Amino acid sequence: RSIGSRQQRAADVAVAVLLASPVVMNPSGFEPYQLPKLTVQALAALVAVTALIAGPGLRPSRTWLWPGALVAVLALAALLSGSPTTALLGSSARRFGVAQWLLLMVVFVVAQHWATSADRARALSVLSLSSVPVSVLALLQRAGFDPFDWSAAAMVRPISSVGNATFLGGYLAMA
């Protein structure tokens, strides 16, 4: 099931970018979290899928069935929703849209092809390292020294670059 070294490097880079995407934000934008993260995740997912398709060993698996079904149901729900754009892209208050669920499916497929414990350890290292700037920004916000001009909600509870205090806590708990 191993893929070539060039494809493996591309997949490693793509997954590293996906895992580090909570650091990405655009503080001057209307929706400073979702669109920049979605863009970075989409590019990384494209690189990962291209690397896996170019290499040998990418075969559909039964383990893809349930996550694929979830994405299909979410896509149908987004099409029928009262706010299709929010359903597709997500929001800071409501978390993922269908596009990000699809990207999570890509991460699942790429992670399935990481067969060795060294690969999994590398992914966990990237996740842990990406939590450092997120944590530092949260601590600065808590101390009242926020380098960005956020809404008043940031002054009550730190939101860091994640965009929501609850999501920040969940991300840091996983990291």
Side-chain angles (χ1 to χ4, degrees), residues 33 141-142 146 148-160:
Y33 311 103
Q141 288 173 339
R142 182 69 178 141
D146 193 348
F148 303 105
D149 185 24
W150 301 112
S151 67
M155 296 304 156
V156 177
R157 298 186 318 172
I159 60 173
S160 188

Side-chain angles (χ1 to χ4, degrees), residues 30-95:
F30 171 70
E31 184 66 49
Y33 311 103
Q34 295 303 108
L35 193 55
K37 288 178 190 356
L38 186 61
T39 303
V40 167
Q41 291 169 353
L43 291 173
L46 180 64
V47 169
V49 168
T50 302
L52 287 175
I53 289 172
L58 180 64
R59 289 187 218 53
S61 165
R62 288 183 186 188
T63 56
W64 299 8
L65 179 63
W66 293 112
L70 172 65
V71 170
V73 168
L74 291 172
L76 180 62
L79 287 173
L80 300 174
S81 82
S83 178
T85 303
T86 301
L88 178 66
L89 299 176
S91 73
S92 295
R94 301 298 296 173
R95 195 58 170 179

Side-chain angles (χ1 to χ4, degrees), residues 99-164:
Q100 284 186 308
W101 279 106
L102 180 60
L103 294 172
L104 290 173
M105 175 67 174
V106 169
V107 171
F108 176 76
V109 169
V110 171
Q112 239 186 344
H113 288 274
W114 276 5
T116 69
S117 60
D119 292 332
R120 288 187 292 275
R122 247 191 336 266
L124 290 174
S125 295
V126 169
L127 181 61
S128 295
L129 286 174
S130 70
S131 70
V132 171
V134 174
S135 299
V136 167
L137 181 56
L139 290 171
L140 287 172
Q141 288 173 339
R142 182 69 178 141
F145 301 109
D146 193 348
F148 303 105
D149 185 24
W150 301 112
S151 67
M155 296 304 156
V156 177
R157 298 186 318 172
I159 60 173
S160 188
S161 59
V162 180
N164 183 302

